Amino acid sequence: MRILGIDPGLNVTGYGVIETGSASMLVVEAGVIRGGRGTLGERVARIHAELADLISGLTPHVVALEEIYSHYQRPRTAILMAHARGVICLAAAQQDVPVVAYAATQIKRLLTGSGRASKVDVQRAICRELGLAAPPEPHDVADALAIAMTHAFFQRTVSLPQ
């Protein structure tokens, strides 16, 4: 199964594609899409276009995203993230690719054992599970791979014989 994990953002959207086998995960491609400068409309259009090209070229079976969360002191962050998330869902839907979402605490708990794990702890888990010599940079890429890995782990759990 090919999973496209995405860490949405208007400035930087991280993405990571993994291929899962019976007992392994392999990084196919990872990187960032930059929203750049311009109006909100121009930025989301850029994210949509680049992501649509990625989906078309990499043909994932599913897109996995982080759920939107909002901290009471920074509600604007969730609103801005929602714009990026909306065009990501649109790009996937236009190519008939299902979208699933996971909470940040769920991702951290699954990869590290703690829902309050630090970014460094998550990066260590990614390196260990994917056999990487160094953590992916920037952190948006690492987060995207973590999201893809979370979906892979959930798929394995669901498909295990009972």
Side-chain angles (χ1 to χ4, degrees):
M1 171 178 269
R2 190 170 276 199
I3 304 163
L4 171 55
I6 302 176
D7 181 35
L10 273 181
N11 294 327
V12 178
T13 293
Y15 71 89
V17 179
I18 62 170
E19 184 93 38
T20 61
S22 59
S24 65
M25 286 184 266
L26 174 71
V27 177
V28 175
E29 184 175 324
V32 295
I33 297 169
R34 299 204 182 272
R37 297 194 185 274
T39 67
L40 177 61
E42 292 166 341
R43 293 165 73 189
V44 295
R46 194 172 302 117
I47 293 167
H48 177 270
E50 288 191 39
L51 188 59
D53 286 346
L54 273 173
I55 292 171
S56 178
L58 295 169
T59 62
H61 295 99
V62 64
V63 170
L65 291 172
E66 185 175 289
E67 285 182 355
I68 292 179
Y69 61 93
S70 179
H71 190 278
Y72 72 93
Q73 292 177 329
R74 294 183 294 279
R76 182 169 156 71
T77 302
I79 293 166
L80 292 174
M81 188 172 149
H83 290 296
R85 214 170 169 275
V87 297
I88 291 164
C89 292
L90 175 62
Q94 287 174 327
Q95 296 187 48
D96 295 320
V97 178
V99 176
V100 295
Y102 298 98
T105 54
Q106 190 178 30
I107 296 163
K108 291 175 182 181
R109 188 177 325 109
L110 187 71
L111 294 177
T112 69
S114 170
R116 296 176 157 229
S118 70
K119 286 209 178 281
V120 171
D121 293 333
V122 172
Q123 288 176 332
R124 264 192 231 118
I126 291 165
C127 289
R128 182 182 63 247
E129 292 295 327
L130 296 175
L132 304 176
E137 290 290 335
H139 69 85
D140 309 273
V141 175
D143 291 348
L145 287 169
I147 295 163
M149 290 169 58
T150 297
H151 184 71
F153 288 137
F154 271 107
Q155 286 303 110
R156 285 185 183 157
T157 304
V158 170
S159 65
L160 288 175
Q162 308 242 336

